[in-house]
């Protein structure tokens, strides 16, 4: 069972140890609450750097941080690693794979998952990028396919092992395309001297008329220019309709032979069953008021990617980015404290600090609220902002050393194919005991 001690403190149950849930738990530490933090993983994941794990640039452990380490010696925090399956708003309980937990306040911070828009073929065959393990799986499949390609003498048959299709021209798609193009240019010729790297085509498919459509026109144009310099084939105003594991089909009738399709074309909120109908909005998100309280409930809040706070200026809610998650968590921590002390709560107001994307070494685009800049300076800003946001001093140092090493050596040293092996249950071969 979940086994959390009862206390006379009010209990806040937080579902999700991502940017939102973790910030909230940290900000509530000093308040007189019992905090129960629940996540299906025992670690926090820094999603903006997943693609660097996939491209062999960083170790998974550099961008993941154990939740328990963050709350060592905090006697009012209880962590449980389990999946929340259902919320019972009337009974003020959540139901998990370990049992139920009662709450005084519930905060849903479950983030979002990949949206395949109901296409079962694409879900089955494409590679998403929403967890460290998915990033590792991409790393494995890239390296395995290059090993395989080397053994295929026929050009046509080899092609599907070499070409890579990235679907979605947002920040994730653009950053993956840039990193793959760099790998093709600087690393593969050294690792695979027998391979003609010019045979590798990297496609970036975007349904809109420009890349990075939530950023400025200047940043869109510059990112496109950077990627074209690298030889990335960009297709705009076109959608991927289907993918059977070896051919990508597009709505303009074109096809691409490829085994690796990276799906960065959309996300949907991780809504948990049990919430009132009026709280359910498009894209799996949860409708909240300006205090982040879930519509139609009392004492249930949602923050971060899963929450949709609709305003006149933002009819579909805030952008699903880390800054919104962090700022909503901070505001909710203050409001919960005020609520406990019978003080008035303050509505959430988002302060847009800007957005950025990197397209390989010395190349990035940064949009600040008042101006835009690109190139080397933007790239250094991108590096330091991401380094600063990482959790854990060790992670910061390791990532920094890795980046410096990669920058000067034009190399990434983590090109290992590591897959978990199933435990074998056959009896041991008696011959193997002989020595
Ligand atoms: C590849 C990629 C790159 C990105 N790059 C950027 C960037 O450069 N800048 C930026 O601002 N944003 C970026 N984002 C978006 C950013 O990561 C999200 O906006 C942010 O993580 C949202 O925080 P969150 O706390 O709402 O959710 P998350 O960080 O996703 O955390 C949700 C947590 O809930 C847990 N969980 C989910 N369901 C359950 C359940 N039923 N039971 C128990 N636990 C559950 C999950 O395990 C997870 O730990 C990127 C996202 C991706 C995927």
């Amino acid at each position: 069972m979940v086994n959390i001690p009862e206390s006379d403190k009010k209990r806040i149950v937080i579902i999700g140890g991502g940017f939102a849930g973790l910030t909230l738990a940290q900000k509530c530490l000093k308040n007189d609450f019992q905090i129960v933090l629940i996540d299906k993983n025992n670690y926090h994941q820094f999603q903006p750097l997943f693609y660097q794990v996939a491209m062999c640039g960083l170790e998974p452990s550099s961008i993941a941080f154990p939740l328990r380490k963050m709350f060592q010696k905090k006697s009012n925090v209880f962590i449980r690693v389990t999946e929340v399956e259902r919320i019972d708003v009337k009974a003020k309980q959540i139901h998990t794979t370990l049992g139920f937990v009662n709450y005084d306040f519930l905060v849903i911070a479950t983030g979002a998952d990949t949206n395949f828009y109901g296409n079962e073929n694409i879900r089955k065959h494409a590679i998403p990028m929403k967890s460290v393990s998915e990033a590792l799986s991409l790393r494995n499949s890239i390296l395995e396919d290059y090993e395989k390609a080397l053994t295929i003498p026929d050009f046509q048959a080899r092609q599907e092992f070499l070409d890579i299709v990235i679907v979605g021209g947002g920040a994730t798609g653009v950053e993956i395309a840039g990193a793959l193009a760099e790998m093709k240019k600087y690393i593969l010729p050294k690792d695979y001297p027998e391979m003609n790297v010019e045979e590798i085509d990297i496609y970036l498919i975007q349904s809109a008329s420009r890349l990075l459509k939530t950023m400025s026109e200047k940043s869109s144009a510059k990112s496109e220019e950077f990627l074209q310099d690298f030889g990335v084939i960009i297709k705009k105003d076109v959608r991927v309709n289907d993918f059977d594991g070896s051919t990508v089909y597009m709505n303009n009738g074109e096809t691409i032979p490829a085994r690796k399709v990276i799906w960065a074309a959309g996300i949907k909120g991780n809504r948990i069953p049990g919430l009132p109908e009026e709280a359910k909005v498009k894209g799996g998100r949860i409708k909240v008021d300006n205090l982040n309280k879930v519509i139609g409930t009392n004492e249930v809040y949602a923050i971060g990617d899963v929450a949709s706070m609709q305003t006149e200026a933002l009819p579909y809610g805030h952008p699903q980015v880390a800054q919104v998650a962090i700022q909503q968590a901070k505001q909710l921590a203050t409001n919960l404290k005020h609520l406990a002390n019978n003080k008035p709560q303050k509505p959430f107001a988002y302060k847009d600090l800007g957005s950025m994307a990197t397209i390989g070494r010395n190349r990035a685009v940064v949009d600040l609220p008042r101006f835009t800049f690109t190139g080397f300076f933007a790239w250094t800003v991108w590096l330091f902002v991401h380094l600063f946001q990482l959790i854990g001093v060790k992670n910061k140092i390791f990532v920094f050393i890795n980046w410096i090493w990669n920058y000067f050596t034009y190399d990434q040293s983590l090109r290992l194919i590591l897959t978990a092996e199933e435990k074998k249950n056959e009896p041991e071969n008696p011959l193997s005991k002989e020595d």
Side-chain angles (χ1 to χ4, degrees):
M1 289 304 281
V2 180
N3 192 27
I4 295 161
E6 294 300 327
S7 81
D8 50 3
K9 292 178 179 171
K10 292 260 186 210
R11 177 183 289 171
I12 304 178
V13 173
I14 302 169
I15 314 173
F19 284 104
L22 206 58
T23 308
L24 179 70
Q26 284 170 326
K27 293 285 163 195
C28 286
L29 277 179
K30 286 195 197 117
N31 301 341
D32 203 21
F33 292 118
Q34 184 192 58
I35 300 164
V36 178
L37 178 60
I38 296 181
D39 200 297
K40 56 187 175 186
N41 299 309
N42 74 340
Y43 51 85
H44 165 82
Q45 315 183 66
F46 190 76
Q47 301 183 14
L49 293 180
F50 280 168
Y51 82 96
Q52 295 212 0
V53 170
M55 299 304 133
C56 315
L58 290 176
E59 290 278 14
S61 57
S62 310
I63 62 155
F65 198 84
L67 293 173
R68 291 198 179 277
K69 195 168 161 60
M70 238 167 293
F71 297 101
Q72 282 173 351
K73 298 186 196 144
K74 307 289 182 226
S75 58
N76 59 336
V77 179
F78 295 85
I79 295 171
R80 291 294 180 267
V81 178
T82 179
E83 183 154 1
V84 178
E85 296 176 319
R86 189 166 59 84
I87 299 168
D88 185 339
V89 176
K90 275 202 190 114
K92 293 179 76 172
Q93 277 179 347
I94 57 163
H95 293 259
T96 78
T97 44
L98 294 176
F100 71 86
V101 185
N102 296 321
Y103 63 80
D104 293 301
F105 299 106
L106 175 65
V107 182
I108 307 165
T110 44
D113 209 344
T114 308
N115 194 347
F116 295 101
Y117 305 101
N119 189 316
E120 197 47 29
N121 272 345
I122 296 178
R123 191 195 63 77
K124 232 187 319 180
H125 301 292
I127 306 170
M129 196 58 124
K130 279 298 283 179
S131 67
V132 180
S133 52
E134 286 166 354
L136 269 179
S137 147
L138 175 58
R139 175 173 107 180
N140 285 341
S141 69
I142 290 172
L143 297 174
E144 280 166 358
D145 278 6
Y146 289 149
E147 293 299 330
K148 178 83 182 152
L150 278 184
T151 66
I152 303 175
D154 178 61
F155 170 77
Q156 278 308 333
R158 205 162 49 227
Q159 216 51 36
E160 68 180 65
F161 289 90
L162 293 174
D163 291 356
I164 302 186
V165 177
I166 302 146
V167 188
T172 303
V174 164
E175 290 184 346
I176 296 173
L180 273 171
E182 269 200 328
M183 198 183 193
K184 170 181 161 183
K185 186 169 174 184
Y186 298 117
I187 293 163
L188 297 183
K190 287 190 272 183
D191 268 15
Y192 300 91
E194 305 150 74
M195 188 193 283
N196 175 8
V197 292
E198 292 313 315
E199 287 182 2
I200 301 173
D201 290 323
I202 300 163
Y203 293 89
L204 179 59
I205 318 283
Q206 164 72 323
S207 59
S209 58
R210 64 183 179 101
L211 301 179
L212 301 176
K213 69 177 175 160
T214 56
M215 292 186 71
S216 65
E217 298 263 355
K218 185 179 168 190
S219 290
S220 291
K222 200 67 193 171
S223 62
E224 193 168 332
E225 188 189 310
F226 285 147
L227 287 173
Q228 274 164 345
D229 280 352
F230 265 143
V232 174
I233 303 163
I234 300 168
K235 291 180 181 286
K236 292 182 289 187
D237 287 316
V238 62
R239 281 177 187 278
V240 168
N241 277 346
D242 210 353
F243 173 49
D244 60 12
S246 59
T247 306
V248 179
Y249 299 88
M250 288 178 279
N251 66 349
N252 61 0
E254 269 186 70
T255 57
I256 303 171
R259 279 164 45 88
K260 286 179 295 301
V261 169
I262 302 166
W263 192 257
I267 55 171
K268 60 175 193 301
N270 288 322
R271 196 166 51 213
I272 297 174
L275 294 173
E277 277 308 306
E278 64 264 38
K280 297 180 186 167
V281 289
K282 231 178 135 211
R285 292 171 91 177
I286 301 169
K287 194 170 176 184
V288 294
D289 65 14
N290 60 7
L291 299 174
N292 278 95
K293 193 196 281 185
V294 175
I295 300 297
T297 69
N298 287 316
E299 294 109 10
V300 182
Y301 297 82
I303 51 177
D305 278 5
V306 76
S308 175
M309 187 187 289
Q310 301 173 357
T311 63
E312 219 173 292
L314 295 163
Y316 302 107
H318 291 85
Q320 286 159 297
V321 294
Q323 266 309 317
V324 172
I326 292 167
Q327 290 181 30
Q328 286 186 341
K330 287 181 178 168
Q331 185 63 57
L332 182 58
T334 309
N335 282 343
L336 288 174
K337 187 174 154 192
H338 285 188
L339 195 64
N341 296 323
N342 291 323
K343 282 190 183 166
Q345 302 177 66
K346 238 175 103 180
F348 174 71
Y350 177 48
K351 191 163 180 244
D352 186 359
L353 301 176
S355 48
M356 55 183 78
T358 178
I359 308 102
R361 62 172 46 222
N362 302 342
R363 295 176 169 96
V365 292
V366 175
D367 281 352
L368 293 183
R370 284 171 190 274
F371 60 97
T372 292
F373 52 101
T374 64
F376 177 74
F377 181 56
W379 181 72
T380 47
V381 169
W382 183 95
L383 289 183
F384 282 103
V385 165
H386 283 77
L387 204 59
F388 180 73
Q389 285 182 336
L390 263 177
I391 289 174
V393 177
K394 189 203 88 186
N395 285 356
K396 284 187 171 70
I397 294 171
F398 276 33
V399 169
F400 185 65
I401 292 171
N402 250 297
W403 283 347
I404 296 281
W405 178 262
N406 296 347
Y407 189 78
F408 287 108
T409 60
Y410 282 81
D411 201 359
Q412 294 145 332
S413 48
L414 304 168
R415 293 186 297 283
L416 308 176
I417 302 171
L418 288 176
T419 47
E421 200 175 319
E422 296 256 325
K423 188 170 182 292
K424 295 188 182 79
N425 281 325
E426 304 104 57
E428 194 182 7
N429 178 354
L431 292 176
S432 66
K433 283 185 191 156
E434 277 180 1
D435 41 280

